[in-house]
Amino acid sequence: FETNRQKFFINGIEKLNTNSSCSFDPNIKRTLNYIGKSNFDSYSDPNASIDDIKIYNKALNQEEILIDMNTHV
């Protein structure tokens, strides 16, 4: 985990690595949460399909992502 660093992987390959902070407004009460869809009407839905979702309680490095991708459950 690196503070203020965002990394984005597609099929285990790092596609984005940037300094960026992400903050959340604690006063916003979310009642609907989505994966692959924005909460904001001004953002269009992605032109993509999602076939696997995994949520972790830690940041994975590239090696851990590749191992996880290639391990069948």
Side-chain angles (χ1 to χ4, degrees), residues 8-47:
F8 185 74
F9 292 83
I10 296 176
N11 294 328
I13 306 300
E14 187 176 301
K15 297 292 185 176
L16 176 70
N17 185 338
T18 183
N19 285 324
S20 178
S21 62
C22 184
S23 62
F24 299 96
D25 185 340
N27 298 313
I28 294 176
K29 304 296 181 214
R30 303 229 185 257
T31 57
L32 299 173
N33 295 290
Y34 305 100
I35 294 175
K37 177 178 172 42
S38 175
N39 278 317
F40 305 103
D41 291 334
S42 60
Y43 296 154
S44 62
D45 291 341
N47 183 16

Side-chain angles (χ1 to χ4, degrees), residues 5 12-13 18 25 30 36 48 53-54 58 65 69-70 72:
R5 173 139 313 279
I13 306 300
T18 183
D25 185 340
R30 303 229 185 257
I53 298 287
K54 293 182 181 181
K58 68 173 198 146
I65 291 169
M69 277 180 48
N70 296 310
H72 296 283

